[in-house]
Amino acid sequence: MDALTLLKVRELEIAVRVWNPDAPRTVIAWHGLARHGGDFDDFARQMGPEWRVLAPDTPGRGLSSWSLYPAHDYLYSHYMTIAGVVMDHFELERTAWVGTSMGGLLGLLLAADKDTASRIDRLVLNDVGPELGADGLASLASYFAVPHRFTRFSELEAELRRHYADFGIEDDDAWRRLALDSARRLPDGSWTHHYDPRIGEQFIHDTPRDLWKDWRAIRCPVMVVRGATSTLLGAESIDKMRETRPDLVSLEVPECGHAPMLDRASQVEPIHDFLTRPMETPTPSDDRPPWWRRLFGQRKAPAAE
């Protein structure tokens, strides 16, 4: 990262990692459940110098505060409040949003909510959507429900390689960087993951909602990225998403599960193209044909990137 901004939201300090702070365009990149904003380092570099990338650390992760009250702070409603504070601090009336897993769902909620929808210019969902695979969700919930402790750093790295095997990471140096960015030493000298072990309580305290209703409420252009072997987002779910949004742009990442790291050109370039191409953004009262039909004059949605 090129800069670090620390914001206060209630009693919590929120760390926002910033790349290209003086760039003319801005995208907020929000990480997944047990990750942090540092995961977007390669993404930010490949987006290029014209893009300022803001990557907050959700409370309980990375450099942000841990909550003393997980039942109040480790919730999507609170993350939405934090997102608003981030946008206000950086004076963003509207912004592009790229979200991985949990960060994607957060962007979906912001783009659907009547109080925040106008602030999301374009939305990229990385391996997440309004319908989530039960097996994938159960696996996440069970893994993060218990603390993990390792006697040696090498054991932690080996566990990260096992647990995040579906990220599509191919390079030993990338695995080592992931381990260095994911490790926290305990008072007895052992190792554990960087995040608050109580983040898994979100599965207990957060209120279930009809995400398909939220999906239908979105008016900004949307792109979805899917790992080809993802257990969280099925290919059939994307087909259902396209039924109500024929303008949906999609990208499938081969030999990857949940979730693509967005760390290479084959993943970043289509996102860059989606965020920069000219398109009209409809409003909730807009009953005109979708942007792709007005722009390209075609009867079918544009081919997936």
Side-chain angles (χ1 to χ4, degrees):
M1 64 184 175
D2 300 318
L4 179 69
T5 297
L6 300 174
L7 306 176
K8 188 173 182 181
V9 182
R10 296 209 301 249
E11 78 284 357
L12 300 178
E13 184 173 78
I14 306 301
V16 183
R17 305 170 196 240
V18 184
W19 289 265
N20 303 321
D22 298 321
R25 297 187 176 196
T26 298
V27 58
I28 293 179
W30 208 292
H31 61 82
L33 176 67
R35 298 303 308 152
H36 56 73
D39 285 352
F40 291 102
D41 185 71
D42 289 328
F43 171 82
R45 301 301 179 194
Q46 294 190 46
M47 282 293 288
E50 75 275 17
W51 281 94
R52 176 176 62 169
V53 178
L54 308 177
D57 289 349
T58 310
R61 293 83 161 173
L63 303 175
S64 289
S65 298
W66 290 15
S67 174
L68 297 176
Y69 310 100
H72 296 92
D73 291 331
Y74 296 163
L75 303 172
Y76 279 108
S77 58
H78 191 224
Y79 303 158
M80 292 174 72
T81 297
I82 293 169
V85 171
V86 171
M87 288 187 277
D88 289 345
H89 176 83
F90 288 97
E91 300 180 342
L92 299 172
E93 293 185 9
R94 291 175 63 81
T95 185
W97 185 286
V98 174
T100 294
S101 194
M102 180 192 76
L105 283 183
L106 176 57
L108 188 156
L109 296 176
L110 290 165
D113 189 275
K114 61 181 179 60
D115 295 325
T116 55
S118 63
R119 306 192 74 170
I120 306 300
D121 180 55
R122 306 184 192 199
L123 175 64
V124 178
L125 304 175
N126 184 19
D127 210 61
V128 74
E131 183 176 74
L132 305 176
D135 290 344
L137 274 178
S139 177
L140 287 174
S142 62
Y143 186 83
F144 295 114
V146 297
H148 300 268
R149 177 182 171 277
F150 309 93
T151 304
R152 300 177 179 86
F153 180 82
S154 59
E155 295 172 358
L156 171 62
E157 183 175 350
E159 170 60 13
L160 288 168
R161 285 176 178 254
R162 186 200 67 79
H163 183 71
Y164 293 117
D166 286 344
F167 273 26
I169 299 174
E170 303 168 346
D171 187 285
D172 283 341
D173 288 341
W175 279 116
R176 177 57 52 85
R177 282 190 286 120
L178 186 75
L180 291 171
D181 288 342
S182 303
R184 175 169 59 88
R185 197 148 202 170
L186 296 170
D188 66 357
S190 61
W191 295 90
T192 190
H193 299 304
H194 66 88
Y195 54 79
D196 181 354
R198 299 187 68 181
I199 61 171
E201 294 182 22
Q202 181 174 339
F203 290 100
I204 301 172
H205 301 301
D206 223 337
T207 304
R209 58 189 293 155
D210 182 0
L211 290 173
W212 282 112
K213 181 179 179 181
D214 292 317
W215 174 251
R216 291 189 292 270
I218 295 174
R219 293 295 181 267
C220 68
V222 185
M223 176 180 183
V224 61
V225 179
R226 176 181 178 268
T229 60
S230 174
T231 59
L232 198 69
L233 180 65
E236 64 281 358
S237 294
I238 295 181
D239 292 337
K240 290 176 64 176
M241 292 163 70
R242 204 184 299 279
E243 289 177 6
T244 54
R245 289 200 62 103
D247 58 331
L248 179 66
V249 177
S250 63
L251 170 71
E252 185 165 285
V253 180
E255 300 179 2
C256 186
H258 183 75
M261 281 291 286
L262 309 184
D263 60 349
R264 60 203 69 184
S266 59
Q267 299 169 26
V268 179
E269 288 180 359
I271 294 174
H272 184 280
D273 177 66
F274 171 75
L275 295 181
T276 54
R277 69 172 61 168
M279 54 179 84
E280 296 179 47
T281 303
T283 64
S285 61
D286 191 349
D287 58 359
R288 295 173 297 167
W291 65 265
W292 50 266
R293 185 170 293 165
R294 298 196 302 274
L295 187 63
F296 299 106
Q298 56 190 52
R299 291 184 173 273
K300 297 175 64 177
E305 299 297 333

